[in-house]
Amino acid sequence: MRGRVKITDIATELGVSPSTVSRALSNGGRISQQTRQAVLDLAEKWGYKPNPFAVNLLKKQSRNIGLILPEFTHHYFSKVLDGVNRVVNEHGYHLFINTHEGDYHKEVKAVNMLNNMRVDGIIASYARGTSDFNHFLDAIEDNVPVVFVDRMCEDLDTSYVVTDDFPGSVESVRHLVNTGCQKIVHIAGPENLSTSFNRLTGYKEGLKQEGVLVQDKYILKSEDPNWKESLEFLIAENDVDAITCFTDYLAFEAVEILKRYGKSVPNDVSVVGFADEPVATYMTPALTTVVQPAEAMGRRAAELLLWHIENPDSPEVHSECLPTAMIERGSTLQTRPQRSFDELISVLKSAS
Amino acid sequence: MRGRVKITDIATELGVSPSTVSRALSNGGRISQQTRQAVLDLAEKWGYKPNPFAVNLLKKQSRNIGLILPEFTHHYFSKVLDGVNRVVNEHGYHLFINTHEGDYHKEVKAVNMLNNMRVDGIIASYARGTSDFNHFLDAIEDNVPVVFVDRMCEDLDTSYVVTDDFPGSVESVRHLVNTGCQKIVHIAGPENLSTSFNRLTGYKEGLKQEGVLVQDKYILKSEDPNWKESLEFLIAENDVDAITCFTDYLAFEAVEILKRYGKSVPNDVSVVGFADEPVATYMTPALTTVVQPAEAMGRRAAELLLWHIENPDSPEVHSECLPTAMIERGSTLQTRPQRSFDELISVLKSAS
DNA sequence: AATAGGTGGGCAAAATTTTGCGCAACTTTC
DNA sequence: GAAAGTTGCGCAAAATTTTGCCCACCTATT
């Protein structure tokens, strides 16, 4: 059989009506065992596959879902994508993707495109600057559920999955104190980001829990063009035991500076990053960091979305904060047996 | 207007037939200026968007294309994805994605899925172990063009985009010789991979061009479980000036071994990687490596696929080899002014 | 006045699949 | 032997859009 075989091809070959073929294939209504078998055999032999456009048109759903991320090349987002892709596949859905690259207008276009494509649902990590969410609202009003990942929107009553950066941040600071560090610097991120705020708050809380005074001179801001000079000053004064950073990249820069000043990591100064980018594994020494369960976030977001798709009338929304956890590597001193990678995974899994 | 507005809604509101509305919208047949304007205005006001399933069913094409990659979390592939996504978007197509994770059966499932979804074309980087290409052949016979990226298939007469690893490999070896290295080791990849073969051949050619003897003892195979011992032996014997590697990760491992043996990189031994993974930037010293234009490959593959989609009857196939180029960093000695990043980009761009 | 030509718009088929309803044939029940 | 129930299958509508063909009307030509 050349070309795509359709239901009517099978019907005419077998001398039955298309409806009979359809019923035989879909295990539906009343049909004799022989007819069904004959249809099944021929469909198998000819490799019949239903035309999704016809089915979608009729059923008013596509089993397609759309994912919008800032970009793909950032390792973190590629892992989110991976998680989403896995779950979506496991459930027989298909994945449309798009990026907005931090551009609000591209984001609007992407959301509208997916909505016009009649996807069954959308997972999105919106652009930092987005404050007008009407494009998402349009989709929701067209009964296309939206789940946010990594970034949430207070104004919209949708499900979302974010990370709780707080516990990992607390854990890392406590670990530093427990390995004998007292003069602990934090290099903070942009002020308006909630993640940045949470990591800073976790740093303060960790110190408090260990009874160490929080001091302003130890809190550097990566947005401040002079943060490196401030750090160098502290290093020169020997006024630093450890550095915790908003990202692994900042940690990388801190390590470079420490090396320039002849400091050994971790013997003179411990360093902790945040995010578990590949850079963390491959710098020397390997970086102790706080891992965000990126893939689990993608998975959870997809699971939540599928739940919404299958329960279209439920007004419930589910919000999840997946916890972060410290992973110990060579850039900090060691006190206790290291948590194995498998243990870590199981911690993150049980959390999700 | 609540819910999705369709052509008939506009037709009844305006007291015309659906065909008139369709014609007004599609700038098609004969229609009076006033009627067209009235339709256009109402369509705009009500936010009419054609139902893609109905259109696809009728037109027998979807403006969807499918992309299959080994995985997303590898930086190289995420850049390929990025390139494909950009071109596809620019041309008003939409992108379905899938991974096979090196598993032949997943690959078959992914290809069949995309074919059954009636995508207009498929871009694929198949699994290493794949030797039976019938699933791709099925798609092609169903008039779904296939373009391979990063890996090509000799048996199938399709367009493909690969990198020509040869010139970059030659260039890197010549650079090593020019900076005074003579005892140059190559750590090769899997034998059955053409990329591995080309990098090895480039290594040999580079030596030949510089009049250095190719010696078997300097050619290590990463598949050989003892390659590290062999390398350590050479190091212990002081029988190595430089190491070129099949991947950046192997280079990373080589640097670790050199450090263990108290060798300085690049003063004692130079190291060159391949691929320009992020690891190359963040290891210490930063790794001299050979960059593959991953995003350009994705772009080209998408452009070729779109060409095939728009010229369905042309039997022509286009095969492209994008050249690789060395990028000099700290892990090799320096002889000449470094090529700036911008220059490098322009070299790669003009090549694509 | 009859014919030709042009314009505007409607009818219906087509793309493919699913499904409610109906009909014929057969079996069971009293 | 008639009524009732069951089984197997076909008809036609439905989902939405596009498009070839046709008709009605108007103007211009002989």
Side-chain angles (χ1 to χ4, degrees), chain B residues 96-172:
Chain B
F96 274 119
I97 51 160
N98 228 310
T99 56
H100 55 64
E101 294 163 29
D103 178 346
Y104 170 71
H105 295 99
K106 283 192 190 168
E107 178 188 307
V108 174
K109 266 184 67 175
V111 175
N112 289 337
M113 184 275 270
L114 289 173
N115 189 16
N116 295 338
M117 295 287 300
R118 309 306 211 251
V119 293
D120 290 349
I122 295 175
I123 300 174
S125 175
Y126 55 84
R128 295 234 160 110
T130 299
S131 54
D132 175 350
F133 290 85
N134 277 315
H135 45 305
F136 288 114
L137 216 54
D138 289 344
I140 292 167
E141 286 182 352
D142 285 338
N143 291 311
V144 177
V146 173
V147 171
F148 288 111
V149 66
D150 187 61
R151 299 165 191 184
M152 58 155 298
C153 168
E154 308 249 343
D155 302 342
L156 249 48
D157 190 33
T158 60
S159 293
Y160 60 84
V161 182
V162 293
T163 47
D164 186 0
D165 295 345
F166 190 79
S169 194
V170 171
E171 186 184 2
S172 65

Side-chain angles (χ1 to χ4, degrees), chain B residues 169-190:
Chain B
S169 194
V170 171
E171 186 184 2
S172 65
V173 171
R174 297 192 60 182
H175 174 247
L176 290 172
V177 177
N178 288 329
T179 55
C181 303
Q182 288 280 323
K183 300 176 255 178
I184 302 176
V185 169
H186 180 68
I187 306 177

Side-chain angles (χ1 to χ4, degrees), chain A residues 81-143:
Chain A
L81 166 58
D82 198 50
V84 171
N85 183 50
R86 282 185 145 72
V87 171
V88 159
N89 267 326
E90 284 161 14
H91 290 78
Y93 281 73
H94 321 106
L95 189 58
F96 274 119
I97 50 160
N98 229 310
T99 55
H100 56 64
E101 295 164 27
D103 178 346
Y104 170 72
H105 295 100
K106 283 193 190 169
E107 178 189 307
V108 174
K109 265 184 69 175
V111 174
N112 289 337
M113 186 273 271
L114 290 173
N115 189 16
N116 294 339
M117 296 287 297
R118 310 302 213 251
V119 293
D120 289 350
I122 295 174
I123 299 174
S125 176
Y126 56 83
R128 294 237 160 105
T130 299
S131 54
D132 175 350
F133 290 85
N134 277 316
H135 44 307
F136 289 114
L137 216 55
D138 289 344
I140 292 166
E141 285 181 353
D142 285 338
N143 290 311

